[in-house]
């Protein structure tokens, strides 16, 4: 007989097994606390959106939309895509539900999966998860600084303290035009020294040549004109103000003139967060974001300046593990309920519920019949008290309370067991 093929998780996706859930619990809890600390309201948007939303929002010429998006037509011929990020969906919801009528700036946050058809490797998945913070309705640089503060706050609470901020300004549509021209002129003079990919980028999305990783291009990149020299007065002032606020917050930053980001909706400040790595290791961003003052209008809403960022959960958990960040697992149960015999097993199920109703944390192993095996488990789980409920006790409506440390035992009537346990715990 032929052996059935074992089906595995689809390439670039993975299961979050029970032993990893403690990391996720911690991340969710810290994200929720951080959001509350800084006044963000939760929003959840669908995993599926119209393709057009991402094409318009993130940009048709971007790698994300062009190469990495899971796009398909439904049976009803709707052209949809699995979301490759959260910002576009949140912006759509902001417009669709008239959230601009709420008091501005409006701070929204979300957490959930994103999908990108990328070549899987450490820290790069086809289904990954982001924690997303967005602020709508203010162009004030103080919010650029605050959103960065939020990321640092979150990462510190998670246990990642040495985060380095890379920041740049990519200007607005006016000054970026001048810069693009200067960059193109410079690259035209150097076409022989660049890789074939960059030749394509120059035609489609010139700024992206700056974050080319090909060895061949590094010399050209290092001598390229830098955006900050071309910023208009407004963008320059905005950038300077942001840096002043960061100084005030004692957040150190690296002025990264090559940081351009892979999404078209950005203007002015863009930033990414890294952790220092061992020398031979390339660093992957833990998160990134920036200002996107034109997106809401581009999607059909009113002119609404905005700024936001997203943190990558898998990369954060990867670093927590690498750096030995401790996360507390499930707390030890106060009581372990041991049973022996059919009647005790039946009555035990109900007794278990009564303990829970009285807010006593309890564990059990109803499928084990040996008292010895159950005691061993109670010990392993570090329960303080074992409640022994055997055939005789079930008949007499009593139970034995055993202190796990000392081994001292006492028989108590079932009617008094809760009171007795509460006294001892
Ligand atoms: P992004 O830089 O494309 O920005 O993604 C943010 C973070 O998500 C990355 O820094 C990384 O940690 C994580 N990430 C992205 N793709 C993957 C992947 N394939 N595998 C593992 N982790 C990944 C955005 O998505 C913007 N929407 C951020 C933003 C919000 N800008 C304004 N508001």
């Amino acid at each position: 007989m032929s052996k059935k093929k074992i089906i595995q998780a689809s390439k670039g996706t993975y299961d979050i097994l029970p032993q990893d859930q403690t990391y996720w619990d911690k991340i969710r809890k810290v994200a929720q606390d951080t959001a509350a600390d800084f006044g963000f309201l939760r929003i959840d948007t669908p995993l599926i959106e119209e393709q057009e939303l991402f094409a318009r929002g993130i940009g048709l010429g971007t790698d994300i939309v062009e190469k990495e998006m899971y796009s398909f037509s439904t049976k009803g011929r709707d052209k949809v895509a699995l979301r490759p990020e959260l910002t576009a969906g949140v912006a759509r919801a902001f417009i669709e539900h008239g959230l601009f009528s709420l008091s501005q700036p409006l701070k929204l946050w979300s957490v959930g999966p994103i999908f990108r058809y990328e070549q899987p490797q450490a820290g790069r998945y086809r289904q990954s998860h982001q924690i997303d913070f967005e602020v709508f309705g203010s162009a004030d640089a103080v919010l650029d600084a605050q959103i960065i503060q939020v990321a640092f706050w979150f990462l510190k609470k998670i246990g990642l303290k040495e985060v380095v901020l890379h920041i740049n300004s990519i200007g607005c549509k006016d000054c970026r035009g001048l810069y693009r021209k200067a960059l193109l002129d410079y690259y035209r003079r150097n076409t022989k020294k660049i890789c074939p990919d960059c030749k394509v980028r120059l035609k489609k999305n010139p700024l992206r040549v700056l974050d080319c990783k090909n060895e061949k291009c590094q010399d050209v990149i290092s001598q390229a004109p830098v955006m900050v020299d071309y910023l208009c007065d407004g963008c320059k002032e905005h950038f300077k103000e942001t840096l002043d606020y960061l100084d005030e917050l004692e957040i150190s930053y690296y002025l990264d003139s090559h940081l351009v980001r892979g999404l078209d909706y950005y203007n002015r400040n863009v930033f990414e967060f890294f952790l220092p790595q061992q020398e031979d290791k390339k660093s992957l961003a833990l998160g990134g974001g920036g200002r996107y003052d034109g997106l809401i209008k581009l999607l059909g809403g009113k002119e609404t300046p905005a700024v936001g960022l997203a943190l990558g959960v898998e990369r954060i958990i990867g670093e927590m593990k690498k750096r030995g960040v401790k996360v507390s697992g499930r707390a030890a149960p106060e009581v372990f309920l041991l049973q022996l015999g059919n009647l005790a097993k039946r009555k035990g199920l109900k007794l278990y519920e009564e303990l829970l109703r009285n807010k006593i944390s309890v564990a059990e192993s109803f499928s084990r019949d040996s008292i010895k095996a159950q005691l061993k488990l109670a010990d392993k789980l570090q329960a303080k008290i074992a409640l022994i409920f055997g055939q005789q006790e079930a008949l007499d409506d009593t139970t034995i309370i055993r202190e796990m440390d000392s081994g001292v035992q006492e028989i108590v009537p079932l009617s008094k067991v809760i009171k007795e346990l509460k006294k001892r715990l």
Side-chain angles (χ1 to χ4, degrees):
M1 222 169 53
S2 70
K3 231 173 134 191
K4 283 229 171 93
K5 181 185 157 213
I6 295 173
I7 300 166
Q8 300 193 323
S10 168
K11 193 172 169 186
T13 71
Y14 68 101
D15 304 302
I16 308 169
L17 296 173
Q19 68 260 29
D20 269 346
Q21 295 292 346
T22 45
Y23 290 95
W24 285 81
D25 288 346
K26 169 134 190 179
I27 293 222
R28 284 192 202 99
K29 165 93 176 60
V30 177
Q32 213 161 8
D33 290 350
T34 303
D37 289 344
F38 288 89
F40 284 78
L41 306 174
R42 172 88 184 234
I43 185 164
D44 291 295
T45 61
L47 304 194
I48 304 176
E49 298 271 4
E50 282 189 28
Q51 282 172 24
E52 167 83 16
L53 173 69
F54 304 116
R56 242 202 277 171
I58 300 170
L60 260 182
T62 58
D63 280 357
I64 296 182
V65 171
E66 197 173 287
K67 300 184 190 153
E68 297 167 4
M69 210 153 72
Y70 282 85
S71 311
F72 54 98
S73 293
T74 63
K75 287 185 181 141
R77 299 224 178 90
D78 297 327
K79 286 189 179 325
V80 295
L82 298 182
R83 65 181 184 194
E85 55 116 46
L86 277 70
T87 312
V90 174
R92 179 206 41 76
F94 178 86
I95 302 165
E96 187 172 334
H97 302 286
L99 300 186
F100 43 78
S101 61
L102 301 177
S103 158
Q104 309 283 309
L106 180 66
K107 296 175 173 177
L108 299 174
W109 82 283
S110 196
V111 55
I114 60 157
F115 305 86
R116 295 186 188 177
Y117 190 75
E118 296 200 77
Q119 210 38 50
Q121 48 173 280
R124 206 178 289 277
Y125 299 92
R126 289 185 174 169
Q127 177 177 338
S128 64
H129 297 75
Q130 286 186 342
I131 302 166
D132 191 74
F133 294 99
E134 313 285 0
V135 184
F136 295 96
S138 172
D140 196 325
V142 74
L143 291 169
D144 298 53
Q146 194 184 44
I147 203 108
I148 292 168
Q149 181 188 26
V150 167
F152 270 74
W153 182 270
F154 171 84
L155 292 167
K156 203 186 275 176
K157 295 250 153 158
I158 278 294
L160 300 175
K161 300 198 169 76
E162 313 148 58
V163 182
V164 182
L165 170 71
H166 285 221
I167 188 164
N168 191 22
S169 174
I170 55 165
C172 59
K173 57 181 184 315
D174 299 331
C175 53
R176 205 176 317 142
L178 290 177
Y179 175 64
R180 191 180 284 127
K181 187 172 174 314
L183 190 68
L184 282 170
D185 286 348
Y186 167 78
Y187 264 80
R188 266 189 212 114
R189 280 182 266 123
N190 289 283
T191 31
K192 288 206 181 98
K193 299 185 203 154
I194 61 172
C195 73
D197 284 348
C198 276
K199 286 181 184 150
V200 178
R201 287 188 187 114
L202 284 177
K203 291 202 181 91
K204 281 193 174 168
N205 206 343
L207 263 55
R208 293 293 290 179
V209 294
L210 293 173
D211 67 1
C212 175
K213 302 290 178 285
N214 193 314
E215 206 44 53
K216 191 174 177 193
C217 295
Q218 299 314 306
D219 255 4
V220 182
I221 293 174
S222 67
Q223 307 290 317
V226 291
M227 181 70 220
V228 283
D229 292 339
Y230 292 80
L231 293 178
C232 62
D233 288 347
C235 291
K236 209 182 287 172
E237 183 56 27
H238 184 88
F239 193 39
K240 189 180 164 301
E241 266 186 67
T242 309
L243 301 182
D244 285 345
Y245 286 125
L246 293 177
D247 289 337
E248 197 63 45
L249 286 167
E250 294 177 35
I251 290 177
S252 48
Y253 46 82
Y254 170 68
L255 294 177
D256 186 347
S257 55
H258 299 147
L259 181 66
V260 286
R261 311 265 303 133
L263 305 99
D264 279 358
Y265 49 60
Y266 292 117
N267 66 309
R268 295 196 161 171
N269 295 334
V270 288
F271 40 82
E272 281 181 347
F273 306 91
F274 294 91
L275 277 173
Q277 302 290 334
Q278 285 146 349
E279 272 174 31
D280 55 330
K281 289 263 162 60
K282 256 214 225 114
S283 202
L284 284 173
L286 291 184
R291 185 158 273 289
Y292 51 98
D293 296 331
L295 180 63
I296 296 286
K297 185 133 186 246
L298 188 71
L299 296 177
K302 290 184 197 156
E303 184 105 35
T304 309
V307 63
L309 63 84
L311 297 161
V313 178
E314 284 72 13
R315 293 187 189 172
I316 290 172
I317 291 180
E319 290 297 337
M320 287 167 82
K321 287 184 176 172
K322 207 153 66 185
R323 283 154 208 266
V325 173
K326 293 260 178 304
V327 282
S328 49
R330 188 175 181 265
E334 294 172 309
V335 172
F336 192 97
L337 176 59
L338 288 92
Q339 42 67 43
L340 190 66
N342 276 343
L343 185 62
K345 200 179 280 198
R346 265 191 284 140
K347 283 190 161 183
L349 279 173
K350 196 134 184 253
L351 176 57
Y352 191 86
E353 211 179 284
E354 199 179 337
L355 294 171
L356 288 179
R357 252 201 313 274
N358 283 281
K359 308 228 170 337
I360 293 170
S361 75
V362 54
E364 50 70 36
S365 181
F366 284 117
S367 63
R368 278 192 177 83
D369 290 330
S370 138
I371 281 279
K372 203 169 150 208
Q374 292 182 68
L375 263 176
K376 212 165 141 192
L377 187 58
D379 198 42
K380 192 170 155 207
L381 294 176
Q382 297 175 323
K384 289 194 198 80
I385 288 173
L387 213 55
I388 304 171
F389 197 45
Q391 193 71 8
Q392 193 56 52
E393 288 78 27
L395 283 169
D396 295 351
D397 278 337
T398 59
T399 182
I400 299 169
I401 293 182
R402 178 190 169 99
E403 304 270 354
M404 287 298 285
D405 276 348
S406 62
V408 173
Q409 300 195 163
E410 189 187 341
I411 301 175
V412 292
L414 273 185
S415 58
K416 297 218 170 100
V417 70
I418 299 290
K419 204 166 151 205
E420 193 55 38
L421 285 173
K422 285 200 167 161
K423 210 158 71 191
R424 293 170 190 240
L425 290 167

